[in-house]
Amino acid sequence: MSGSIRSRWTAGAVLALGSAALLFSAGAPARTGAGNHAAASHDDSGGLSFGSGGSLGGIIVLVIIVFGVRYFLRRNAVSPSAQTALSALGSALGASGLARVAAGELGVGAGNGAGTRRPLPPAVDAIRALDPGFEMETFLQRAEMTFFLVKRGMQNNDAASIRPYLNDSLFNTVSKDIAQSKSQHHHALLESLNIRGVALEDAACNEQGQSLQVHFDLVYRAKTLDDSNAVLNDEGEDRRHAERWTFMRKAAARTPLSGDVTASKCPACGAELRLGLDGVCAHCKASVTNGTVDWVVSDVQPAAFVGYSADSSLGIAASTVAEGVAALTSTDKEFAIAAFQARVKTAFLALQDAWCKQQLDTGRAFMSPGAYFSWSAQLASMASEGRRNVMEHLEIRSIEPKQVIHGRVFDDLTVRITAAAADYEVDQSGKVVFGDRSVRPFQEDWTFQRSVGVATSGKPGTLENTCPSCGAPLSLTQIGECRFCKAAVTSGKFDWVVSRIDQEDAAGGIAGSLDNLGEQLAVQVGGAVVGGLLSSLMSNRR
């Protein structure tokens, strides 16, 4: 091997090791949704942890990598240009790690468990002043629903189904990609797709219009399938991804009172949504997709996974659970934590059963629209591959309130559910393809959401399989509206619904929760240490 080739190889190896260091310490994510606890417990994360989730082992390995780099550098000559590149990489890694900790982008927060709240851009207040019906919490829920509806249409190669959500320019681009996939007889599958965090990163409001830039932290396993669902390409495991979506509307547009396209309604006339590929309503002839009447997606870009807190960024967490419950009972005299826990138990069992049967309608009344679309996406990917989850001998051992968050629009109440079950997956023949029949304990954090100001009612409701608005037998649309009176039953306007579920990760902590505070800090501080050592090491060689 010649000296010049060896120098290039050494520099390339060091760059690869330095870049891989942070990836190593980050580990692989656990899945979210019902079931799949086997996925979490058997996940080969590659990360090292101890105690309550701190990554001391990961930091040690990172330092070993650095000294391995030093060994290579002592034994091999490195060109000045390579030294400069490596020094810059080291500085960037260190600065990036410390900056993310300082900025609170990892969802770490104060001792009360509240995630660090990202301040809203000033333009949000300007939008709210022009449009009193606009609420950021409601918008982010809609953004999440839009995300899943668009992804579902793209995976189905169905351009017509995504037309209501995209502006003309973006639709033309995406529809061409769909047409190409159809011509090549393949389609994408985002297996186990779930949103780990949502954050508003930017906003604008001027005379031309308004825009909101939403960041989605995602976990999924990307596959490409042919028309017979045979796998053509496979990412191999669940991985972290992220996307940045821009929503826009014209300056004169206002929040529609009669519902929007996610509710299958024309935002201009309120009629049942019927659009041509030109985006024009078949009833009122209004252009629904040019931003004149409502928000549309104008741009989608890939982004880096940030690790935003899953907690509400728009609410204030009570310092203790007791204080949060007291605040709830001050406006809702009939609220009782024991009755709430009974509802949690009913919802948990109903939803686990619905998940295993792949029939979400039986548990639909307990799910917010966003949670419903998330679970639907995951079940659709499992069904397309002929897999289903089985949970046997399910036992709830405890339901413990963990946090209460009060927002402008919603109250969130998070409980930690400790349970045990035999959790595995089977194929169409009933053969176990993942997990096993051993009963194991697991924990999940379930967040229930209800609109601010809603009081506990003594009337029959979703627990009695009855519409809480009109009293008819419960029959809901995909967005949770009663088919009889059109009331938004699962919006939180009547009772508590599940808005988010955080599962145990591979290290035994709740993914995204404060239990992983040590691990998240260790990853970033470890990155800073590695970056600083690399930078210093290379500077000393010059």
Side-chain angles (χ1 to χ4, degrees):
M1 183 183 293
S2 69
S4 61
I5 294 176
R6 183 175 65 248
S7 297
R8 288 197 299 271
W9 177 85
T10 303
V14 175
L15 281 167
L17 287 170
S19 300
L22 288 180
L23 294 177
F24 177 90
S25 61
R31 300 185 181 190
T32 12
N36 279 323
H37 306 98
S41 60
H42 291 90
D43 194 1
D44 295 325
S45 69
L48 301 177
S49 63
F50 79 105
S52 60
S55 283
L56 179 61
I59 293 180
I60 292 173
V61 173
L62 296 180
V63 175
I64 290 173
I65 289 174
V66 171
F67 283 99
V69 170
R70 182 178 183 181
Y71 173 80
F72 275 111
L73 294 177
R74 286 184 177 276
R75 295 291 302 272
N76 299 277
V78 182
S79 66
S81 60
Q83 290 187 25
T84 301
L86 286 164
S87 180
L89 172 65
S91 298
L93 285 172
S96 173
L98 292 177
R100 289 186 68 194
V101 173
E105 290 182 342
L106 295 172
V108 299
N112 62 10
T116 299
R117 293 192 298 275
R118 184 183 181 91
L120 293 177
V124 171
D125 288 332
I127 294 173
R128 191 179 290 140
L130 292 171
D131 179 8
F134 174 83
E135 284 291 351
M136 198 66 237
E137 288 178 276
T138 304
F139 172 82
L140 289 177
Q141 283 196 343
R142 173 184 170 170
E144 188 174 346
M145 285 189 283
T146 300
F147 174 88
F148 282 114
L149 288 166
V150 170
K151 290 298 185 184
R152 183 174 68 183
M154 293 177 67
Q155 291 179 94
N156 293 335
N157 281 343
D158 184 358
S161 69
I162 67 175
R163 186 63 188 104
Y165 315 106
L166 311 182
N167 74 353
D168 298 341
S169 176
L170 184 58
F171 176 73
N172 289 337
T173 300
V174 175
S175 61
K176 288 178 182 177
D177 291 340
I178 288 175
Q180 182 178 15
S181 294
K182 293 176 73 172
S183 69
Q184 295 173 351
H185 303 286
H186 66 70
H187 61 278
L189 174 66
L190 305 183
E191 184 179 286
S192 304
L193 172 64
N194 64 85
I195 295 176
R196 284 296 178 84
V198 181
L200 180 71
E201 290 196 327
D202 199 8
C205 180
N206 53 45
E207 294 179 353
Q208 285 71 46
Q210 302 156 9
S211 66
L212 296 169
Q213 194 175 83
V214 180
H215 176 101
F216 295 99
D217 276 333
L218 311 167
V219 170
Y220 59 81
R221 175 177 176 174
K223 293 183 177 181
T224 304
L225 311 179
D226 64 16
D227 288 345
S228 64
N229 285 329
V231 178
L232 303 177
N233 293 296
D234 187 351
E235 197 172 25
E237 62 181 357
D238 287 356
R239 294 185 181 176
R240 292 186 172 116
H241 303 264
E243 293 180 3
R244 188 174 295 112
W245 288 42
T246 300
F247 294 76
M248 60 79 62
R249 66 179 182 180
K250 299 294 179 64
R254 297 292 181 267
T255 300
L257 299 177
S258 57
D260 55 54
V261 292
T262 60
S264 298
K265 294 180 180 179
C266 170
C269 67
E272 180 183 355
L273 191 65
R274 288 178 55 199
L275 297 184
L277 292 181
D278 58 359
V280 173
C281 174
H283 304 284
C284 66
K285 308 304 179 185
S287 179
V288 174
T289 58
N290 65 2
T292 56
V293 293
D294 203 2
W295 298 99
V296 288
V297 182
S298 61
D299 188 44
V300 175
Q301 294 293 332
F305 187 101
V306 173
Y308 284 119
S309 169
D311 291 333
S312 171
S313 61
L314 303 172
I316 299 174
S319 58
T320 65
V321 172
E323 180 183 301
V325 171
L328 290 172
T329 55
S330 68
T331 56
D332 179 6
K333 303 300 183 183
E334 299 301 318
F335 177 82
I337 196 66
F340 174 80
Q341 289 171 310
R343 180 177 181 84
V344 170
K345 181 178 181 179
T346 300
F348 180 84
L349 295 174
L351 289 174
Q352 298 290 4
D353 184 64
W355 172 269
C356 292
K357 292 178 178 177
Q358 296 187 340
Q359 297 176 353
L360 285 188
D361 286 350
T362 58
R364 180 69 186 88
F366 298 108
M367 307 178 75
S368 71
Y372 174 78
F373 284 119
S374 175
W375 281 32
S376 295
Q378 294 182 60
L379 287 179
S381 69
M382 292 178 68
S384 70
E385 296 182 306
R387 298 181 293 117
R388 65 180 179 87
N389 196 210
V390 177
M391 295 186 71
E392 293 178 335
H393 312 298
L394 179 60
E395 173 194 4
I396 297 177
R397 295 180 176 176
S398 67
I399 299 173
E400 178 187 0
K402 297 294 293 183
Q403 187 179 64
V404 181
I405 295 179
H406 180 72
R408 283 173 53 94
V409 180
F410 297 106
D411 288 321
D412 289 351
L413 206 168
T414 300
V415 296
R416 177 158 297 176
I417 301 174
T418 301
D423 186 1
Y424 55 93
E425 290 180 8
V426 297
D427 61 17
Q428 291 175 319
S429 68
K431 177 184 177 182
V432 176
V433 294
F434 191 83
D436 57 52
R437 289 186 167 88
S438 299
V439 175
R440 294 185 176 90
F442 63 90
Q443 287 185 328
E444 294 180 342
D445 283 358
W446 285 45
T447 297
F448 287 75
Q449 191 173 77
R450 188 178 71 171
S451 296
V452 170
V454 173
T456 302
S457 170
K459 299 190 303 181
T462 51
L463 284 176
E464 292 77 26
N465 203 35
T466 300
C467 172
S469 177
C470 67
L474 201 60
S475 178
L476 304 176
T477 66
Q478 71 169 1
I479 63 165
E481 285 189 348
C482 173
R483 297 185 187 277
F484 301 100
C485 68
K486 309 303 180 185
V489 174
T490 65
S491 64
K493 293 180 179 179
F494 295 94
D495 212 332
W496 299 95
V497 291
V498 179
S499 64
R500 189 179 75 251
I501 298 172
D502 294 319
Q503 278 190 342
E504 223 172 18
D505 64 14
I510 300 296
S513 76
L514 197 65
D515 289 348
N516 287 330
L517 171 58
E519 181 178 347
Q520 296 177 64
L521 286 173
V523 168
Q524 296 308 306
V525 174
V529 170
V530 170
L533 286 172
L534 278 174
S535 182
S536 174
L537 190 59
M538 295 312 304
S539 297
N540 291 338
R541 286 187 58 86
R542 286 203 289 268

